Amino acid sequence: MTQTLTIPRPDDWHLHLRDGAMLQAVLPETARHFGRAIIMPNLVPPVVRGDQAAAYRDRILAALPEGMAFEPLMTLYLTEDTDPEDVAAAHASGLVKAVKLYPAGATTNSASGVTNFDNVRPVLEKMAEIGLPLCTHGEVTDNHIDIFDREAVFIDRVLDPIRKATPGLRVVMEHITTRNAADYVASQDTDLGATITTHHLIINRNHILAGGIKPHYYCLPVAKREEHRLALRAAAVSGDKRYFLGTDSAPHTDPNKLSECGCAGCFTATNTMSLLAHVFEEEGALDKLAGFASENGPAFYRLPVSRETLTLRKSEAAAEFPKKIETGDGPVTVFDPGFPVYWHADS
Ligand code: DOR
Ligand code: ZN
């Protein structure tokens, strides 16, 4: 018998769409199931000012296939030169929904990120004043900090001090990967939220490293030990409104992944909703999927929940996903969970 689950149309609160031929190819993969997405600004060059965000938004809408509806929620890339007044104007016009903090050097295209956090204080204070959320890539970048510890150290050394120094600043800890991060969110007030990716609910670091190196499972922050994956699952299905879906779907072409210095990113846009239904069912929490994927994010961003719906159907036949998406820049491999999934998402 077919089991169905209908939820409000989900949103993706952390998404990389890139630009040009890549944008053209990956946008339909998200727009098929998601109504809105927070669009990451780490292009080359990054989306720093309001006028650049407006132009990027136009390029996204121009790439949207006929008949598909999708609302890109734009972000600005925080640099030490960001002008608080430009941020405020981009927010006031309704264009920009968040500002993204990348510690310099933390990940793909983060060279223009922040080194000295004191230099962005005026922007953070303006954001607290106008209620504009800060999205954080929560990893320190110091070479002597072990890569598996960088998220926990970021909380202590950067995030907590910023939040204490900036009362009222609303912060999203993006793509959390540790029990430390999930516990930190739980211990704070509702000015703090966290996104969790689909892949961090499925893989731990063994998937990347045991039995041969698997570049398609490498992303940043890197997947941690099993105990952390289990803590993320518990947070995602808890019903706590501070945790919501941000896929961090991050396309890179196969040559760029399968290289001596492979890029970080898992491309999950195509099968995320099927995988999430599988995970939530495994956790005995299908009733919590609507909150995680469709309701908690809008509540944090103070936007309405979608009035459209998405129906997921479980059938006897495993869902078939393309192994790769062809793009004008080269093939992009779709995240392989490593197990069959019986949930199908209507488009
Ligand atoms: O794995 C990742 N890929 N993590 C990030 O923070 C950036 C992203 C990308 O842009 O490829
Ligand atoms: Zn990302």
Side-chain angles (χ1 to χ4, degrees), residues 15-26:
L15 177 66
H16 297 270
L17 285 177
R18 317 298 190 205
D19 218 339
M22 184 64 86
L23 165 65
Q24 195 83 39
V26 300

Side-chain angles (χ1 to χ4, degrees), residues 14-16 40 42 100 102 137 175 220 248-250:
H14 181 130
L15 177 66
H16 297 270
M40 286 298 119
N42 62 333
K100 177 69 188 255
Y102 286 104
H137 182 108
H175 42 52
L220 287 172
D248 198 13
S249 180

Side-chain angles (χ1 to χ4, degrees), residues 181-196 232-245 280 288 290-293 295-297 299-300:
D183 287 351
Y184 180 69
V185 173
S187 73
Q188 301 293 303
D189 59 29
T190 52
D191 280 344
L192 185 65
T195 58
I196 303 177
L232 299 177
R233 279 198 174 211
V237 305
S238 65
D240 187 323
K241 292 175 88 66
R242 292 171 291 181
Y243 305 105
F244 41 94
L245 173 64
F280 277 65
K288 298 293 194 317
F292 181 69
E295 294 164 358
N296 301 350
F300 186 90

Side-chain angles (χ1 to χ4, degrees), residues 271-338:
N271 51 4
T272 274
M273 289 313 302
S274 293
L275 298 182
L276 286 176
H278 179 101
V279 166
F280 277 65
E281 184 181 38
E282 249 176 18
E283 296 295 324
L286 273 176
D287 60 323
K288 298 293 194 317
L289 182 59
F292 181 69
S294 314
E295 294 164 358
N296 301 350
F300 186 90
Y301 278 93
R302 298 175 177 163
L303 293 169
V305 172
S306 177
R307 289 213 296 266
E308 321 252 294
T309 58
L310 178 75
T311 296
L312 296 144
R313 296 172 203 279
K314 187 180 184 192
S315 75
E316 307 269 300
E320 284 184 26
F321 303 108
K323 212 173 141 38
K324 295 174 195 297
I325 301 295
E326 295 302 332
T327 83
D329 291 340
V332 171
T333 293
V334 175
F335 178 79
D336 175 4

Side-chain angles (χ1 to χ4, degrees), residues 95-325:
L95 171 71
V96 157
K97 299 291 187 256
V99 171
K100 177 69 188 255
L101 165 68
Y102 286 104
T107 186
T108 311
N109 305 335
S110 60
S112 322
V114 178
T115 304
N116 182 348
F117 295 92
D118 289 339
N119 291 341
V120 295
R121 289 230 47 80
V123 184
L124 300 182
E125 269 153 28
K126 176 59 81 176
M127 290 169 62
E129 180 192 320
I130 64 181
L132 180 61
L134 178 73
C135 295
T136 57
H137 182 108
E139 289 188 287
V140 291
T141 52
D142 325 31
N143 258 331
H144 59 279
I145 306 284
D146 190 279
I147 190 164
F148 291 101
D149 297 333
R150 288 179 178 191
E151 183 172 278
V153 173
F154 179 87
I155 296 168
D156 292 344
R157 290 201 193 157
V158 182
L159 181 60
D160 197 57
I162 284 181
R163 294 190 63 245
K164 289 205 167 102
T166 329
L169 180 65
R170 307 181 64 245
V171 176
V172 183
M173 294 174 74
E174 303 266 47
H175 42 52
I176 59 170
T177 60
T178 56
R179 173 182 296 286
N180 313 55
D183 287 351
Y184 180 69
V185 173
S187 73
Q188 301 293 303
D189 59 29
T190 52
D191 280 344
L192 185 65
T195 58
I196 303 177
T197 77
T198 308
H199 50 283
H200 286 114
L201 296 174
I202 294 175
I203 60 169
N204 63 31
R205 64 193 199 178
N206 277 17
H207 290 80
I208 312 170
L209 295 170
I213 191 157
K214 316 289 188 326
H216 292 301
Y217 290 149
Y218 171 63
C219 67
L220 287 172
V222 69
K224 309 293 191 301
R225 285 176 178 276
E226 177 66 356
E227 64 167 291
H228 296 291
R229 184 185 74 102
L230 296 178
L232 299 177
R233 279 198 174 211
V237 305
S238 65
D240 187 323
K241 292 175 88 66
R242 292 171 291 181
Y243 305 105
F244 41 94
L245 173 64
T247 66
D248 198 13
S249 180
H252 292 279
T253 63
D254 284 352
N256 285 335
K257 291 287 294 176
L258 309 174
S259 124
E260 267 182 32
C261 185
C263 294
C266 297
F267 180 69
T268 55
T270 305
N271 51 4
T272 274
M273 289 313 302
S274 293
L275 298 182
L276 286 176
H278 179 101
V279 166
F280 277 65
E281 184 181 38
E282 249 176 18
E283 296 295 324
L286 273 176
D287 60 323
K288 298 293 194 317
L289 182 59
F292 181 69
S294 314
E295 294 164 358
N296 301 350
F300 186 90
Y301 278 93
R302 298 175 177 163
L303 293 169
V305 172
S306 177
R307 289 213 296 266
E308 321 252 294
T309 58
L310 178 75
T311 296
L312 296 144
R313 296 172 203 279
K314 187 180 184 192
S315 75
E316 307 269 300
E320 284 184 26
F321 303 108
K323 212 173 141 38
K324 295 174 195 297
I325 301 295

Side-chain angles (χ1 to χ4, degrees), residues 76 83-94 126-127 130 132:
L76 296 177
D83 173 5
E85 293 312 319
D86 181 65
V87 171
H91 172 251
S93 74
K126 176 59 81 176
M127 290 169 62
I130 64 181
L132 180 61

